[in-house]
């Protein structure tokens, strides 16, 4: 899948999105950004966890290298792979051999509570930058709140406001795909900042302390204002066109 096709597919997928997920770029600097989204669904954490670790059932085909999300697998153990099989092709008489893609690696797995993975998704895979995706599940009054946070940092050949806006839209779309397995969101997840704070107790105290220490060490002296939220297909399409133009220059 070429980068131009990949970005066009993202634009089409976001254009079709109409789920009431609350998504936003919560911080951005010269060295990276954080995007966060939350939804509430009418299902228990067990059912959501089982769906979450079966991405072939909800990941969008447009955001795969093979063009078919059924090729996606996720092993919910530390060191496990969020991977994709690239089926063999024998076009033009070539000998067909299966290929594969590692989208992310699992670094933390607490069933029915937290799944944390590390890696650069989509166009970020070709950059030195790295990302950490943390997905938390929390029961709330007979429903479950899903919080989806992706933190990206490091060198990348994109302007941060441009890539942040595009990733924000795509993360929101993927979360909506997961929620659609349970009839779609019944709420936007409330204040994502507060939700993220509430869900910190699902990780160990040692890890939380380490994260705080790393965050303070990496914080730049001055930070840019967070880029505008990618709330429309036009916003995301504009950001993706800018990304493609940067790579072609």
């Amino acid at each position: 899948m070429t980068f131009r096709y990949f970005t066009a597919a993202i634009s089409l997928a976001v254009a079709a999105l109409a789920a009431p997920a609350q998504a936003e770029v919560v911080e951005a600097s010269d060295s990276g950004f954080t995007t966060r989204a939350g939804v509430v669904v009418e299902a228990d954490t067990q059912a959501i966890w089982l769906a979450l670790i079966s991405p072939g059932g909800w990941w969008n085909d447009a955001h795969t290298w093979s063009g078919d999300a059924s090729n996606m697998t996720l092993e919910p153990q530390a060191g496990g792979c969020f991977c994709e099989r690239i089926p063999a092709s024998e076009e033009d008489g070539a000998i067909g051999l299966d290929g594969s893609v590692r989208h992310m690696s699992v670094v933390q797995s607490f069933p029915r509570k937290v799944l944390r993975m590390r890696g650069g998704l989509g166009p970020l895979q070709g950059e030195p930058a790295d990302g950490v995706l943390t997905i938390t599940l929390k029961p709330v009054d007979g429903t479950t709140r899903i919080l989806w946070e992706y933190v990206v940092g490091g060198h990348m050949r994109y302007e941060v406001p441009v890539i942040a806006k595009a990733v924000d839209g795509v993360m929101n779309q993927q979360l909506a795909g997961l929620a659609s397995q349970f009839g779609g969101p019944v709420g936007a997840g409330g204040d994502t900042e507060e939700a993220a704070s509430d869900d910190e107790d699902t990780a160990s105290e040692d890890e939380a302390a380490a994260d705080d220490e790393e965050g303070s060490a990496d914080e730049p002296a001055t930070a840019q204002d967070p880029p505008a939220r990618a709330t429309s297909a036009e916003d995301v399409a504009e950001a993706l066109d800018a990304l493609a133009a940067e790579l072609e220059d």
Side-chain angles (χ1 to χ4, degrees):
M1 178 183 292
T2 65
F3 180 80
R4 173 65 72 176
Y5 177 79
F6 189 85
T7 55
I10 293 175
S11 298
L12 291 173
V14 174
L17 177 63
Q22 180 173 336
E24 59 183 330
V25 177
V26 295
E27 63 177 356
S29 71
D30 290 337
S31 60
F33 61 92
T34 300
T35 180
R36 185 181 297 145
V39 296
V40 174
V41 297
E42 291 185 328
D44 60 30
T45 56
Q46 173 81 359
I48 296 173
W49 179 263
L50 293 176
L52 174 62
I53 62 176
S54 302
W58 53 269
W59 196 267
N60 192 282
D61 291 341
H63 306 311
T64 67
W65 298 103
S66 65
D68 185 353
S70 67
N71 291 314
M72 310 283 279
T73 58
L74 196 163
E75 180 186 359
Q77 296 292 322
C81 185
F82 175 24
C83 287
E84 178 181 354
R85 184 178 69 90
I86 308 298
S89 174
E90 298 184 3
E91 295 179 0
D92 301 325
I95 298 175
L97 297 173
D98 280 353
S100 62
V101 178
R102 178 184 292 270
H103 290 271
M104 309 188 94
S105 296
V106 175
V107 296
Q108 185 181 96
S109 177
F110 285 99
R112 300 182 299 278
K113 293 183 179 180
V114 180
L115 178 66
R116 178 169 293 146
M117 300 182 288
R118 181 179 294 273
L121 292 169
L124 291 174
Q125 188 182 76
E127 303 300 315
D130 199 7
V132 177
L133 175 63
T134 302
I135 303 170
T136 61
L137 310 179
K138 186 171 183 178
V140 178
D141 298 330
T143 63
T144 297
R145 184 183 67 213
I146 309 173
L147 188 66
W148 189 292
E149 182 179 77
Y150 191 38
V151 183
V152 176
H155 175 71
M156 63 191 87
R157 294 170 293 176
Y158 309 121
E159 294 183 1
V160 170
V162 175
I163 187 67
K165 183 186 292 187
V167 170
D168 176 43
V170 174
M171 290 294 95
N172 184 37
Q173 190 265 337
Q174 298 296 354
L175 175 56
L178 175 59
S180 71
Q181 299 295 296
F182 305 97
V186 295
D191 187 322
T192 57
E193 186 79 29
E194 180 180 351
S197 177
D198 289 345
D199 289 346
E200 285 180 357
D201 58 5
T202 59
S204 68
E205 293 182 0
D206 289 342
E207 181 184 6
D211 288 344
D212 290 342
E213 182 177 347
E214 291 176 3
S216 61
D218 295 338
E219 185 175 354
T222 58
Q224 302 174 2
D225 290 335
R229 288 175 57 186
T231 55
S232 70
E234 291 76 14
D235 286 343
V236 178
E238 179 182 349
L240 293 168
D241 286 343
L243 289 179
E246 285 181 13
L247 288 187
E248 291 173 355
D249 287 343

